[in-house]
Amino acid sequence: MSKFVNRHQETQVDPVLTRIVEEDKVPWYKKPNLRYLYFMLFPTCMGVELTSGFDSQLINALQIVPSWVEYFNDPQGPFQGFIGASYSLGAILSLPFVPVVNRKFGRRWAIFGGSVIMVLGAIVQGFSQHVAMYIVARMILGFGIPVCIVAGSALIGELAYPKERPILTSLFNVSYFFGQIIAAGICRGTNQIVTDWGWRVPSLLQIVPSMLQITFVLFLPESPRWLIAQDREEEAYAILAKYHAEGDADNEFVKAEIVQIRETLKIEYEASKETWRDLLRTSGMRRRALVTAMLGLFTQWSGNTLISYYLGDLLQMIGFTDATTKNNINLVNSCWSLVMATLVASQVRRFRRRVMYMTCTICLLSVYIGWTISMRYAVHATDNNYSNPAAAWTTLVFIFLYAPAYNIGYNALTYTYLVELWPYALRSRGISFFQLFGRLSGFFTTFVNPIGIDSISWRYLIMYVCWLGFENVFVFFFFPETHGKTLEELTFLFESQELADRATSAVEKVVHHEDNNPQEHKGGASNVETTKV
């Protein structure tokens, strides 16, 4: 593992609270308040990615449904790509507003508002009368999803007890595959409906994940960090005491935690104006922005959109022509992806982030090399009217091997890593910045994939092989390590040692009982006056 040591020096922070957390041996399921919190996170914050998974699988599966193909005149090439990419286009248009909504209304209301927008989009989509209306509906759906993703991923990280935070933020993306499975199963069931309802029913059912969020999100507490930033420290303290100490307001960990959050936010806001320019203001922020931008590209340009949106076309190319067979493969692949994603997410506390990312990129490159070679022979057989089942099935094996390779890093760690990488004051902007590059690259690849496949067939995969080689190099040299610290301990990852020591000193005073009134939660507003911007 020593070969994965980061080449860049990060600021060393004494993980005082992390050590205290590791001494807590009581599992989360034996803590009633924490158990309630985690169960409520699933239909609300975790459920956000249900919509993303449902949509990616829906547009993929509907292109196999005969009634959809007939109603929209079998779109091909650039037009087919634009229909798929319109979801990302809507998301891009909403990104400038996402941080503003998060800062002004908080994480919960941001999720609520984004979900309402997606319900509207799903209704318009289900009752579309022509392709233009269908595209607009997909753009409305895309407009709402980043609001929920940014708020949901941040809220999980900011509410979770530090011991379970990496697993919970990693499970955030797992619900994506639940959405895929549901959509694939629904489309398989409606595949035999000869009327328009064969595609309208699954389109309308896309409202279900958003309705879950609308119904349950306000039963969650608000982010304690957002409350402190709004001069509402007493409320934040009550939330932390209830869920991180099972209601014990005198708990030493909670006292230290509230001081750490308060002091860290105070230092953050001394240098931050909460503007987009802050993302590039210092060398540390520029490093974060570079890693975030490239992570956005990597999550979409690693070949995953080929499988998510155009699996039916790929299967057709290698000889699987029956619609029912393709739907079955699609459904099985979604279930396989869910299993792999869940297994990987449950192991994130055991391995360092850079080890997992390097393993991910190396495996993806290996899979794509094998996939490209086998597909070359499978396509040649199909194009020349002879049978090569060995090549076809080998290609299918590599398509299935893609899921565990991708999940090791880009699915399991994406939001865990982003929440850890960005300090609170710029967290929503940082995740929005990731969404910008992710959605732009998603729009590009979703649009270009069918053109590339139609134009150069299996050779199109060579482009992904080359890009994955670059990903290996970039991750090795630029990705920092964030494993094993609280969010506040990671705030000064690239900043001066002096700032890190200043925040640590405040926490140590509480831990060592050097401060007689560490929490000051009844008059805490004065401690965060610098947060007003």
Side-chain angles (χ1 to χ4, degrees), residues 103 228-232 265-266 269-270 272-274 525-533:
R103 184 183 64 184
I228 293 175
Q230 302 299 312
D231 293 349
R232 295 161 62 181
L265 287 181
K266 185 176 180 179
Y269 280 110
E270 286 174 357
S272 173
K273 295 181 174 62
E274 280 196 295
S526 61
N527 291 292
V528 287
E529 288 178 351
T530 54
T531 65
K532 295 182 177 179
V533 294

Side-chain angles (χ1 to χ4, degrees), residues 119-140:
V119 167
L120 174 62
I123 292 172
V124 174
Q125 178 179 249
F127 290 105
S128 294
Q129 300 302 304
H130 43 72
V131 71
M133 189 174 176
Y134 189 81
I135 290 172
V136 169
R138 289 185 51 72
M139 289 178 66
I140 295 172

